[in-house]
């Protein structure tokens, strides 16, 4: 959600360009999810999950270093690395969630799984949007003081510079969050994620 707003906001892209910078991410995520599906069973799913979280963190850290002069390259590069991480996460998580349940429970589990994912997405977006807004206001107050050199070509307006810094701070927070939750992977049982699906 942040990337189109970042492109059309402080980076000054038009809507078409902002959308095109997202296209490689979607394509690569699809291909990674397909590849991850083939790796399940051959590779410990905990390795896939850990790799996904690390790639997510790296991609978010890359996005946190976007500079106005080469914003397109940073968005495409960072978002595609993040897409690889997301692809390595989503397929193993879904497979693990359903393979450990008896067939009779999988229909109900699919609804609960989808509900919890949507709640997580909505809560995360709401939280990070609030954080972004507060960081923009804090950065505007900081910019009203003595000028600080950033070492890069700043956007045309102080508001754009404050917003760009706020996005960077949010991306850094999300990268840290991805690394903080990664030890939770060790709590999963050491068993094959992919088990044969049987019918009633």
């Amino acid at each position: 959600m942040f990337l189109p707003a970042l492109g059309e906001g402080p980076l000054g892209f038009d809507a078409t360009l902002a959308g095109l910078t997202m296209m490689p991410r979607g394509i690569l995520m699809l291909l990674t999810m397909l590849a991850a599906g083939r790796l399940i069973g051959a590779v410990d799913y905990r390795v896939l999950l850990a790799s996904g979280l690390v790639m997510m963190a790296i991609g978010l850290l890359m996005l946190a270093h976007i500079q106005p002069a080469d914003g397109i390259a940073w968005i495409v590069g960072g978002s595609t690395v993040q897409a690889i991480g997301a692809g390595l996460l989503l397929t193993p998580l879904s497979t693990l969630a359903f393979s450990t349940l008896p067939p009779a429970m999988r229909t109900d589990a699919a609804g609960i799984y989808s509900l919890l994912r949507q709640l997580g997405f909505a809560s995360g977006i709401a939280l990070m949007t609030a954080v972004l807004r507060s960081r923009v206001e804090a950065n505007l107050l900081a910019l009203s003081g003595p000028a600080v050199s950033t070492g890069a070509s700043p956007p045309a307006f102080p508001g754009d510079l404050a917003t760009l810094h706020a996005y960077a701070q949010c991306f850094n927070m999300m990268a840290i969050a991805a690394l903080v939750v990664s030890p939770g992977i060790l709590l999963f049982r050491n068993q094959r994620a992919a088990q044969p699906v049987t019918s009633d």
Side-chain angles (χ1 to χ4, degrees):
M1 187 200 75
F2 275 10
L3 293 180
L6 172 62
E8 293 183 60
L11 296 180
F13 300 164
D14 60 32
T16 301
L17 181 57
L20 288 174
T21 60
M22 295 287 294
M23 189 169 60
R25 181 185 194 278
I27 295 171
L28 194 55
M29 179 183 265
L30 173 63
L31 296 176
T32 305
M33 290 177 71
L34 293 173
R38 293 186 172 273
L39 290 173
I40 293 173
V43 178
D44 189 334
Y45 62 87
R46 293 180 300 181
V47 173
L48 295 175
L49 294 174
S51 300
L53 284 171
V54 170
M55 294 294 285
M56 288 275 288
I58 292 172
L60 288 164
L61 288 173
M62 290 174 66
L63 291 171
H65 290 82
I66 290 175
Q67 301 295 339
D70 49 4
I72 294 175
W74 279 102
I75 288 181
V76 171
S79 64
T80 51
V81 172
Q82 187 197 15
I84 295 173
L88 291 174
L89 279 173
L90 296 178
T91 301
L93 279 177
S94 300
T95 303
L96 177 62
F98 296 113
S99 67
T100 56
L101 294 174
M105 298 180 63
R106 288 176 183 161
T107 302
D108 292 337
I112 295 173
Y113 184 80
S114 177
L115 172 64
L116 292 177
R117 279 186 60 180
Q118 294 303 319
L119 287 175
F121 288 152
S123 300
I125 290 171
L127 174 63
M128 292 313 301
T129 301
V131 171
L132 175 67
R133 186 69 261 163
S134 68
R135 297 313 309 160
V136 170
E137 293 173 358
N139 291 338
L140 280 172
L141 287 175
L143 286 174
S144 65
V148 178
S149 175
T150 62
S153 301
F157 303 103
D160 288 341
L161 182 59
T163 303
L164 185 61
H165 286 171
Y167 276 108
Q169 290 162 342
C170 287
F171 287 132
N172 278 324
M173 291 178 194
M174 288 185 278
I176 293 170
L179 295 176
V180 165
V181 301
S182 60
I185 295 170
L186 299 176
L187 299 177
F188 290 115
R189 290 176 293 174
N190 184 19
Q191 63 179 29
R192 289 173 66 90
Q195 297 177 353
V197 176
T198 59
S199 58
D200 289 337

